[in-house]
Amino acid sequence: MLKMRLLLLLFLCTGTAALSQVDTTARRDTLIEDVKQGVLDNIPVVSLDENDLGDGGAQNTSSLLTAGRDPFYSAASFNFSAVRFKIRGYDNDLFSTYMNGIPMDNLDNGFTPYGLWGGLNDVMRNRDVSWGLRYNTFAFGDIGSNTNIDSRASRQRTQTSIGYASSNRNYNNRLMITHSTGLSKKGWAFTISGSRRWAGEGYVPGTYYDGWGYFAAVDKRIGQNHLLSLTAFGAPTENGRQGTSVSEMVELANDHYYNPNWGYQNGVKRNASVARSHQPVFILTHDYRINNSTTITTAAGFSFGDRSITAFDWYNAADPRPDYYRYLPSYTAVWASAPDPVQGQMLYDLMKSDINLRQVNWQRLYDVNRASNATINNANGVAGNNVTGRLSRYIIEERVINTQRFNANSVINTKFGDKIDFTAGASYQFQKNHYFKRVDDLLGGEFYVNLNQFAERDFPADNIANQHDLDRPNRILHEGDQFGYDYNINISKAAAWAQGVFKFEKIDFFLAGTISQTKFYRQGNVRNGLFPNNSKGKGTMNEFTNYGGKGGVTYKIDGRNYIFANASYQTRAPYFENIFISPRTRNDQQNDVKSETIQTAEAGYIMNAPKFKIRLNGYYTRFQDGMDVMSFYHDSYQNFVNYAISGIDKLHFGGEFGIEAKVTSTITVNAAAAVGRYYYNSKQNAIITVDNSASVIGQQLIYAENFRIPSTPMEAYSFGASYRSPKFWFISLTGNYFDQSYLSFNPLRRTWDALKFVAPGSAGYNEIFNQTKFDAQFTLDFFGGWSWKLPKAYEVNKKPTFLVFNVGVNNILNNQDIVTGGYEQLRYDAQTTTTDPISTGKFPAKLYYAYGINFFSSVTLRF
């Protein structure tokens, strides 16, 4: 059985080249490179056999592949990514990823932590992807997609690769070196890879990037039936982050990429919000081939390390953020207790002309700290221990999540004759997250104090309530010290599943089922002064038994045309962040915690022909009983509050279309369309508690029914053409159109309290209640590449040597008005809105914009 790896690149159309053209195939492989930064990581590699590439004339009609060159999903992965397009409107936790046999998704939120292997593109290319509800051979699967990355040493291409890339996106430079030995006669295989990505300043002002990547893998084949694999990798990364801001600051800066996180310090840009991450991963995998029909793959993995974000913290001082609402011209002119339009205009003119007034004033923060002499009585809880010195009013804090994860998984694949494929598996996962803060920079001061200033405001005479750690009161802090909240979340999940695939001459069908148990609880590590009896120690153990089933049928019209229908019903446990009301301070959680229910179905038509590939399908998905928790400052209650929301139902339905047509031997055209509607399908219930007392102050009904799922286009269209020269170069041009994208809305504005003083149907009512729709947008993208086989005189180690050039230019028209997402601020002043109902008050929405013209180019030497 001849196997070949086929990378699904929409703009690289290879046609039906003869398998015997070994040199042509090799040169084609060298043309595959990262022309899109970060996007190619989502494109699968699949294995095809000769029957799958045949002309459809065999006696038995071949089955539909679970992954392949799909014209719609290729477009969705590449062309639609600039606007944060979500396939079927699904959140990221509905797309699962496995590597070398173990699940990689985080248990705390279901997301795939792609940053764990950032910059290691060379060794992460071997992928098997099943989209939607299709069956696969490694997991029961999520309803969005299921990806299995095989990064083992014996699966890597035998070669050495040295590459450099240049870009104007998150980073400007990337250097990558990879060496793979292949499997030796003695059964050994080794792969090492390393990379660095860096930028002094990225596309967004004030951002920077400094990322490294390392990878090592070794395989040992033992006899003919066993393969033992060990893989280790990590990606220590630090980057200055982009922040969102209101349109007023964007207008003042005349820049959609205005970033409030940075300011000049001694003439150099410094970012206050820095993300750091390093979580090494180790995976041990054993393949046991019992016979030609049965294999068992067993794997165990462990990862650990920190991910963190820095931010300002301050004590009895003014807000240091430059876009704080009280510093804006509109506040002085309109919203202040004594509005002054003249002063507001003067401030507007000053801020527009002076960049330092729009950014962080680092010098002022240092000056305040150096001038702040204070005495802390009974410091560190010792009576009479009074500490005097420069108390920092402003610091940079680091919000840390330390994670330890263990995964184990075993899967058996076997065949019963030629008609039945059976797969079953069992897994166990455990994850411990430790949440805490530490002092990153005292900004010129000598110490900080572990006190809760918000508790001091509410309980000014209470020397217990203001303590973050009641057992170590008035603790003096220096750089590197831990402070503030301190708690663990412990999560475990055990699961088992089974699947049968039945293949007949004209009909294939499959049935799969799964059962799982998820447990999690909060473990408080400090006794909080506000909740001394409900903050430290083990909280409520939450246990959920979940189940799911799916099945599908495919009718094989012939070897190229298929009609399919799949459906699934399943439940899944909620995530802890949607259950615990305020885990930073206490063990309280929502009432009537329950699993979410998912019902979904899809059906469609697929053509896989040598010159035409077509997908046309529809889907319908219903989510019920979702939960969420929001925390923010409530102006009416004049306090921080927690909104515990339950009864969240959602409805997603629509259609997907993709076509790829080989017009000539060198020209290919492709088109894709996604047309859907994603709605909240229920009125939601909210219980409101005061964060500093946990007292329930109200219940509200949120009128969210028929509001759109935000921050993704519900309509996306793409049309492109590519030319592939017989001399191993290609060019591609693609146009994309997006519409029906909406702003993330604030539930508070969709309640009776927010609307009771405004006439229904009035302009003020509509301004408060209606959801904001973004304008439709268009982008134009170009890609090109060339592969050159060096003459023998320049070969390295007498091996065929290739030099590969690629370039991708996105948003050629430099459209900087594309809003990719955003949110209404949760803080909302109903009183100012009531007095001026045409405006939503002094807390307007914050938006994200897509990059203007941007590029990614690379050159790679392979031998």
Side-chain angles (χ1 to χ4, degrees), residues 674-688:
V675 180
R677 291 296 181 265
Y678 323 135
Y679 295 94
Y680 288 99
N681 197 36
S682 65
K683 298 180 180 68
Q684 302 162 10
N685 300 301
I687 297 178
I688 311 165

Side-chain angles (χ1 to χ4, degrees), residues 255-362:
D255 185 1
H256 281 160
Y257 313 105
Y258 165 73
N259 183 7
N261 289 338
W262 69 273
Y264 285 107
Q265 183 177 350
N266 299 324
V268 178
K269 291 181 179 179
R270 178 180 178 182
N271 197 310
S273 181
V274 174
R276 303 184 180 106
S277 177
H278 184 205
Q279 296 178 321
V281 179
F282 300 87
I283 305 174
L284 180 65
T285 307
H286 174 238
D287 276 352
Y288 176 33
R289 183 181 179 183
I290 300 176
N291 52 48
N292 290 337
S293 299
T294 305
T295 60
I296 298 176
T297 300
T298 303
F302 181 72
S303 64
F304 62 95
D306 292 348
R307 64 183 190 271
S308 65
I309 295 174
T310 65
F312 283 119
D313 191 26
W314 58 97
Y315 179 76
N316 290 340
D319 196 310
R321 297 169 296 182
D323 60 344
Y324 180 56
Y325 78 99
R326 290 179 178 267
Y327 302 156
L328 302 184
S330 62
Y331 180 82
T332 300
V334 179
W335 306 116
S337 57
D340 190 335
V342 175
Q343 289 292 328
Q345 183 61 47
M346 292 176 62
L347 181 58
Y348 179 92
D349 295 337
L350 285 172
M351 293 183 69
K352 194 169 183 64
S353 61
D354 188 350
I355 190 174
N356 293 297
L357 297 178
R358 303 191 300 266
Q359 304 300 149
V360 175
N361 190 337
W362 290 103

